[in-house]
Amino acid sequence: MSLFSKFKNNLQKTSNFLSSNILNSFQSKKVDSQTLEELESVLISADISLDVVEKLINSVRKVKASEQDITNVVLETLAKEIEVILQPKEREIFVENDQTPKILIFVGVNGSGKTTTIGKIVSQIRDENKILIAACDTFRAAAIDQLKSWADKSKSDFFSGNINQDPASVAFQATEKFNKEGFDYLIIDTAGRLSNNTNLVNQLIKLKNVVSKINDKTKIETILVLDGTNGSNMIKQVDIFGKELDVTSIIITKLDGTAKGGALISIANKYEIPISYIGLGEKPEDLISFSAKNFSRSILNLEA
Ligand SMILES: Nc1nc2c(ncn2[C@@H]2O[C@H](COP(=O)(O)OP(=O)(O)OP(=O)(O)O)[C@@H](O)[C@H]2O)c(=O)[nH]1
Ligand SMILES: [Mg+2]
């Protein structure tokens, strides 16, 4: 299956919602205040933020009434405008032929898809790389087992501590192992919540500081995993995690399960942080490098 078909097939909830409602709005084949108002309401319902909606409406306003196929021109105009917003945020974490080792710390609220995303990434890059996976989610035993099974499947090295051990101390030990044994990547899974009243973000800052203290040579990527079905509530999470943890990239999961995929555009518009992958299902191959063009055309049901 081509990369574009994958986008198109798995973003159908959002694209069905958007394209069918936009088609409905422009039944009159006119671009006037009424159709623009209807379009505005459709875009807002897909969890696209107001400032972005305004930009999009302004671009559609310029569509000439003389156009033969108004709806198609409207969809093309929207796709282009959305692509312009998304384009600067495209970013690959694993660049081909880039041999520099990296430490990747995955953060995000519970259930956002951190552990699954790590599993998918490791399955995709294991052939060319020596990977150490560290289970710094010490909150639940099941979390450690879940990560271990992905490590086993991909034949990656696995490091874990004890249940309820301080996550930063597990990260410390894992980084020591990483330093000594010549790995390409250290991938750190963290908990989305903690057993005591410790503030999650403070605990993660501590973990990151510990890692950078015992390894100040390797680049640390902090990757924020967001649950796409949360729609515009994802914004709150970027606000909470983004600044204090100096997040270097965002991954949005579960976009196969929501009609609110438009929220991704709001995030791209609001923050400088790039988007590296999107999750379009539960299988390893369902984690896909983010592409501005594929995303913007798919959610409007247009061809590649
Ligand atoms: N449909 C779909 N499901 C996904 C995707 N990514 C993750 N999931 C599912 O979401 C659920 C939660 O994923 P986890 O990886 O356990 O989430 P987590 O962030 O590690 O959660 P905690 O460990 O509790 O903090 C699992 O059932 C995953 O299979 C995706 O892209 N699409
Ligand atoms: Mg987890």
Side-chain angles (χ1 to χ4, degrees):
M1 196 192 286
S2 76
L3 205 56
F4 181 75
S5 319
K6 188 94 192 178
F7 270 85
K8 189 136 181 173
N9 288 339
N10 296 23
L11 284 167
Q12 273 186 30
K13 286 202 176 146
T14 298
S15 69
N16 285 344
F17 174 81
L18 279 174
S19 62
S20 64
N21 282 302
I22 292 172
L23 236 58
N24 262 338
S25 306
F26 286 90
Q27 260 173 358
S28 66
K29 308 277 176 216
K30 279 187 205 147
V31 177
D32 56 20
S33 58
Q34 191 193 334
T35 53
L36 286 174
E37 217 167 275
E38 278 177 37
L39 176 62
E40 192 173 2
S41 128
V42 173
L43 298 173
I44 290 169
S45 305
D47 269 22
I48 302 177
S49 57
L50 285 176
D51 45 347
V52 178
V53 169
E54 201 176 315
K55 254 190 223 179
L56 298 178
I57 295 290
N58 282 337
S59 67
V60 172
R61 209 186 294 280
K62 293 181 198 129
V63 172
K64 298 271 187 306
S66 56
E67 291 289 352
Q68 286 281 311
D69 185 353
I70 289 275
T71 37
N72 195 49
V73 178
V74 167
L75 291 172
E76 287 287 344
T77 305
L78 289 171
K80 248 180 232 128
E81 198 68 27
I82 291 171
E83 190 182 334
V84 168
I85 297 173
L86 300 183
Q87 190 66 54
K89 303 297 150 67
E90 261 185 20
R91 186 183 155 236
E92 301 261 3
I93 297 177
F94 304 101
V95 183
E96 229 174 297
N97 299 324
D98 172 13
Q99 306 292 348
T100 32
K102 276 194 187 116
I103 297 173
L104 292 85
I105 305 174
F106 282 72
V107 302
V109 300
N110 66 294
S112 62
K114 297 176 292 297
T115 308
T116 311
T117 300
I118 291 173
K120 291 171 178 173
I121 286 182
V122 170
S123 311
Q124 291 182 12
I125 66 168
R126 61 158 195 179
D127 286 346
E128 304 85 33
N129 298 290
K130 188 170 183 238
I131 305 162
L132 176 61
I133 305 177
C136 296
D137 177 352
T138 53
F139 179 56
R140 293 176 296 125
I144 300 174
D145 296 341
Q146 184 193 0
L147 191 66
K148 171 104 173 32
S149 87
W150 280 106
D152 290 347
K153 249 188 273 175
S154 65
K155 301 193 171 57
S156 303
D157 284 60
F158 182 73
F159 185 88
S160 64
N162 301 318
I163 188 82
N164 289 330
Q165 185 181 336
D166 182 74
S169 85
V170 182
F172 176 89
Q173 294 166 338
T175 309
E176 279 193 320
K177 184 175 166 73
F178 173 79
N179 289 347
K180 275 190 220 131
E181 298 179 25
F183 289 95
D184 298 308
Y185 297 113
L186 168 60
I187 299 187
I188 296 176
D189 190 18
T190 65
R193 65 187 150 183
L194 299 168
S195 47
N196 48 27
N197 285 329
T198 319
N199 175 287
L200 178 62
V201 172
N202 287 344
Q203 175 64 58
L204 292 168
I205 292 172
K206 176 175 152 191
L207 183 151
K208 195 173 167 181
N209 287 341
V210 163
V211 171
S212 57
K213 198 157 184 191
I214 43 169
N215 185 329
D216 56 5
K217 291 187 190 73
T218 306
K219 184 171 167 33
I220 299 179
E221 294 259 4
T222 307
I223 299 168
L224 174 61
V225 180
L226 301 171
D227 177 341
T229 64
N230 286 343
S232 54
N233 285 335
M234 290 191 286
I235 301 266
K236 231 183 274 160
Q237 292 164 29
V238 186
D239 283 337
I240 294 169
F241 287 88
K243 257 201 207 108
E244 292 202 69
L245 281 163
D246 195 13
V247 168
T248 52
S249 130
I250 287 174
I251 296 179
I252 303 182
T253 65
K254 308 187 203 179
L255 286 171
D256 53 312
T258 179
K260 297 195 178 286
L264 181 150
I265 309 164
S266 318
I267 288 178
N269 185 60
K270 186 163 187 229
Y271 302 96
E272 291 301 320
I273 311 169
I275 300 171
S276 49
Y277 285 99
I278 57 173
L280 294 176
E282 295 186 81
K283 295 190 294 297
E285 63 271 24
D286 295 334
L287 185 78
I288 300 185
S289 288
F290 176 63
S291 147
K293 184 165 189 194
N294 288 346
F295 184 86
S296 49
R297 298 195 68 77
S298 294
I299 58 161
L300 291 161
N301 223 356
L302 294 165
E303 290 311 316

